[in-house]
Amino acid sequence: MSATANSVWKNCLAFIQDNIQPQAFKTWFEPIKPIKLTDKALSIQVPSKFFYEWLEEHYVKLLKVSLTRELGTNAKLIYVIKMENKYGNKEPFTEQIPSSNRTAVGPQELDVPITSKSPELKNPFVIPGIRNIKIESQLNPNYNFDNFLEGDSNRLARSAGMAVANKPGGTSFNPLLVFGGVGLGKTHLAHAIGVEIKDKYPEKTVLYISAEKFTQQYIESVKKNTRNDFIHFYQLIDVLIIDDVQFLSGKSGTQDVFFHIFNHLHQNGKQVILTSDKAPVDMQDIEQRLLSRFKWGLSAELQSPDYETRVSILKNKLYRDGVEMPEEIVDHVAKNIKTNIRELEGAIISLIAQSSFNKREVTLELAQQVVEKFVKNTKREVSIDYIQKVVSDYFEMDVATLQSKTRKRHIVQARQLAMFFAKKFTKASLASIGSQIGKRDHATVLHACKTVDNLAETDKQFRKYIEDLNKKFS
Ligand code: ADP
Ligand code: MG
C-alpha cells in the first residue's frame, strides 16, 4: 500500500500528539491540512504566515522527526499558506514556502594542526573530532540585515556592522562593540553581521556565543583540566561574536582567558564583535586592560527608535506575516510603546494572534487593551545609575558628590539611601551595588541598608525622605 499525503500526515500527527500539550496540539496542528505528497515532500496547508512562522519557530524539530520517521531522511516539508485577506475584498491567495525559509548556516569544517600535546582538540560545543572538527556557527539566519530596519537610532551601528561584514578583520572597527539598552536590537545585529559574513565568505569560521555560555564553557574547561583546549579552540575562529559582554563583569578568570583569546585573534587579523548593555566607560568590574581593548575599535550605540522607525518596524513585521492592519492601530502601538523593540513586536504579535484565533477584527479598542497590558506588565527594572541620579537630584547634589569619600552626614545619608534603593529595586548583588556606588565593598552596602532601616523607625524626617523617594521609583 503506498503512502498518501493523508496517511503520512495522520501518522505524523499521532506522533506529534504524544509529544506536546493537548492545547498546543489543538491550536497548532489540528488546523493543518495535508495537501499532497510528491516523492519525499509533503505539502501542508496552514492558515496564515504567522502560523507558519510559529510552527517553524517552535515545532520544526518535532515536525522533522515525525516526518523522517514516515518518509526517511530526505523528507521535506512544504508549507502552503492560505491567506484570507480580511481587510480587503481580494480573493484568498496562497503562497508556498519550504520549511526553514532561509537555509540554516551549515557546520563549518576546519582542519586543525595538532600542536597541543593532547591528540584531541576538545570542542566545547561537544562535537568530538580529532583532526577535522565541525564548528556550528550558532547563528540564527532569521536575524539578518534584510529585516534589521534602518533608522536614525541605529544608523551608525548598522552601517559599521555592514562595513565589518564586507571586510571582516579588514576595517578599523575591530573590535566592533555594539551597545544599547534591552530590546534595542543588539543580538539581532550581531547575528546579522555573522550571517552576512557567512554569505559573503563561506570559508570563514564564524562563531556566535553569549558571554554567559562562554563563561560556562570556560568554567567547565577548568574543572575538566582542558583550559588550553578551550583557548586553542577559540583561537581558531575567524569571526568571533560575543553577546552581552557585560556578563563578564566581576568574573576575572573568564576575563583573563578572553583577554588572551582576544589578543591572539586581533593580532592575526581576525574580527571580534561584541555587544553590551553599557558603553565601555560605564562598564563595571571589567579589567582595565580588557576595557582598553574594547575601545580599540568602534563603539556604536543603538538608541531607542524614533516614531517613524517604530512605525516602519511594525509595518515590516505585518508585511512579513502577511497581515494587514488599519493605519490607526499601527499608529496607536507605535505611539505608546517607545523604548523597546521587543515589546513593540510583542504587542503586534499578540494582536495578530488574537485576531487570527478569535477571528476577531483588530479594532482600536482591542489594540488599546493589548497595549495597556504591555505597558503595565513591563514596568522596567530601574538601574543603579538611575537610582543614584534620582537620589542625588532629590538632595540637590551631583552623582560624583554622592559617590565621593566624604563623611559629611547628609552626603553619607544620600549614599546610604541610594544603596538601600538599589538593593530594594534591582537584582544586583551587594558587591555589585557597592562597586557601582562609589566603589564600596559589600559590607558597606549591608551596613547602609541596616542603617536606613533603623533610621526609618526612629527619625521622622528620614522616613519622609524614604517615602518621597519611594514614590519616584514606583
Ligand atoms: P537586545 O539584544 O538589544 O536586547 P534583540 O536583538 O533581541 O535586542 O531585539 C529585540 C527584538 O527587536 C528582536 O525580535 C529583533 O528582531 C527586533 N529588532 C530590533 N531592532 C530591529 C530593527 N532595527 N528592525 C527590525 N527588528 C528589530
Ligand atoms: Mg540580546
Side-chain angles (χ1 to χ4, degrees):
M1 193 189 77
S2 69
T4 64
N6 272 323
S7 70
V8 168
W9 185 239
K10 202 169 144 228
N11 292 340
C12 287
L13 280 184
F15 176 78
I16 291 168
Q17 190 162 21
D18 281 342
N19 284 286
I20 62 173
Q21 298 291 331
Q23 187 56 42
F25 182 79
K26 221 171 133 81
T27 311
W28 297 108
F29 291 94
E30 280 187 1
I32 297 176
K33 288 198 196 105
I35 306 264
K36 75 175 178 205
L37 181 68
T38 39
D39 199 14
K40 298 216 161 186
L42 176 70
S43 302
I44 57 173
Q45 181 179 305
V46 298
S48 71
K49 200 156 182 178
F50 173 68
F51 211 98
Y52 140 78
E53 284 195 355
W54 190 276
L55 289 171
E56 278 284 292
E57 199 172 324
H58 297 90
Y59 300 112
V60 73
K61 282 209 183 104
L62 189 59
L63 279 163
K64 189 154 190 191
V65 172
S66 68
L67 210 61
T68 309
R69 281 163 51 104
E70 295 305 309
L71 299 174
T73 45
N74 302 326
K76 284 202 188 65
L77 184 65
I78 294 166
Y79 296 91
V80 178
I81 300 175
K82 181 155 184 273
M83 290 194 255
E84 281 168 62
N85 204 324
K86 286 200 220 123
Y87 297 98
N89 47 8
K90 296 175 214 146
E91 291 287 295
F93 59 103
T94 60
E95 186 180 339
Q96 294 206 16
I97 306 184
S99 175
S100 279
N101 202 358
R102 228 190 127 97
T103 44
V105 180
Q108 316 163 94
E109 295 195 13
L110 205 62
D111 289 323
V112 181
I114 303 190
T115 47
S116 69
K117 285 207 186 63
S118 90
E120 195 181 344
L121 178 70
K122 301 222 176 43
N123 177 341
F125 289 97
V126 208
I127 302 154
I130 302 175
R131 287 192 177 74
N132 181 288
I133 61 170
K134 284 198 169 78
I135 301 178
E136 297 284 344
S137 71
Q138 318 285 324
L139 288 169
N140 178 349
N142 295 321
Y143 282 154
N144 50 56
F145 273 113
D146 292 342
N147 60 20
F148 190 80
L149 299 196
E150 182 171 344
D152 289 344
S153 54
N154 62 31
R155 191 160 288 119
L156 172 68
R158 191 178 188 281
S159 51
M162 278 283 200
V164 164
N166 286 330
K167 253 179 125 184
T171 67
S172 52
F173 307 154
N174 199 10
L176 173 64
L177 173 76
V178 175
F179 69 95
V182 210
L184 294 182
K186 300 181 296 290
T187 299
H188 186 143
L189 183 57
H191 279 279
I193 299 170
V195 168
E196 187 77 15
I197 292 176
K198 279 312 279 184
D199 269 1
K200 290 209 163 92
Y201 303 93
E203 76 288 355
K204 289 212 187 283
T205 311
V206 179
L207 181 67
Y208 166 91
I209 187 161
S210 66
E212 182 172 7
K213 197 156 171 199
F214 180 84
T215 304
Q216 284 165 3
Q217 288 182 353
Y218 171 68
I219 294 171
E220 198 61 17
S221 81
V222 172
K223 263 194 218 145
K224 295 206 177 118
N225 228 343
T226 56
R227 186 175 181 273
N228 285 341
D229 288 336
F230 175 86
I231 296 176
H232 192 175
F233 172 84
Y234 275 93
Q235 289 179 340
L236 295 168
I237 309 295
D238 295 318
V239 178
L240 179 61
I241 306 171
I242 303 201
D243 203 359
D244 289 320
V245 290
Q246 77 277 356
F247 186 83
L248 301 182
S249 144
K251 304 189 171 65
S252 55
T254 317
Q255 285 180 33
D256 187 56
V257 81
F258 178 57
F259 180 77
H260 290 295
I261 292 167
F262 179 92
N263 284 340
H264 180 96
L265 294 178
H266 199 269
Q267 275 160 20
N268 288 282
K270 307 300 172 71
Q271 179 72 45
V272 178
I273 297 152
L274 309 167
T275 79
S276 162
D277 68 357
K278 292 189 194 62
V281 284
D282 297 325
M283 285 187 204
Q284 305 276 347
D285 296 326
I286 301 266
E287 276 179 58
Q288 209 46 49
R289 55 178 188 165
L290 204 51
L291 276 184
S292 82
R293 295 293 187 279
F294 290 176
K295 294 178 198 153
W296 277 358
L298 176 76
S299 305
E301 183 172 10
L302 288 176
Q303 292 162 333
S304 295
D306 53 25
Y307 172 75
E308 278 74 36
T309 312
R310 299 202 293 277
V311 169
S312 50
I313 288 175
L314 288 175
K315 287 197 171 152
N316 184 261
K317 175 94 191 123
L318 290 169
Y319 171 75
R320 277 184 288 128
D321 290 345
V323 178
E324 284 184 22
M325 232 177 246
E327 197 79 19
E328 59 168 357
I329 292 188
V330 174
D331 187 64
H332 181 79
V333 177
K335 280 216 171 99
N336 287 282
I337 301 184
K338 295 182 192 153
T339 51
N340 183 325
I341 300 174
R342 189 175 298 131
E343 285 171 13
L344 200 61
E345 286 192 332
I348 208 79
I349 288 171
S350 165
L351 278 172
I352 299 174
Q354 299 230 20
S355 73
S356 68
F357 296 142
N358 307 335
K359 300 254 172 266
R360 246 170 108 180
E361 226 181 272
V362 181
T363 58
L364 187 57
E365 199 196 341
L366 179 62
Q368 280 162 349
Q369 284 169 14
V370 167
V371 166
E372 196 182 327
K373 251 191 227 147
F374 260 84
V375 178
K376 242 194 237 150
N377 286 343
T378 52
K379 231 167 100 184
R380 59 192 56 81
E381 195 192 312
V382 289
S383 70
I384 297 180
D385 288 344
Y386 178 72
I387 290 172
Q388 296 189 76
K389 176 94 182 53
V390 170
V391 175
S392 321
D393 284 351
Y394 181 77
F395 290 109
E396 295 174 349
M397 59 180 76
D398 47 32
V399 175
T401 310
L402 178 130
Q403 294 185 340
S404 68
K405 303 273 174 224
T406 175
R407 293 176 180 276
K408 285 197 187 116
R409 183 151 170 271
H410 73 287
I411 298 175
V412 172
Q413 281 193 349
R415 189 159 59 233
Q416 290 178 329
L417 278 164
M419 290 176 173
F420 169 83
F421 283 113
K423 177 83 190 77
K424 180 164 173 191
F425 289 120
T426 74
K427 294 191 192 85
S429 66
L430 293 174
S432 146
I433 293 171
S435 88
Q436 293 184 59
I437 305 186
K439 300 215 176 350
R440 306 303 207 278
D441 63 10
H442 83 281
T444 311
V445 181
L446 196 62
H447 175 73
C449 294
K450 282 189 189 143
T451 310
V452 171
D453 278 336
N454 288 338
L455 286 175
E457 281 178 21
T458 53
D459 182 336
K460 199 158 153 227
Q461 175 62 50
F462 199 80
R463 195 154 54 234
K464 171 94 169 50
Y465 295 157
I466 298 179
E467 278 162 14
D468 286 351
L469 284 165
N470 239 328
K471 280 195 204 115
K472 293 187 192 289
F473 294 123
S474 34

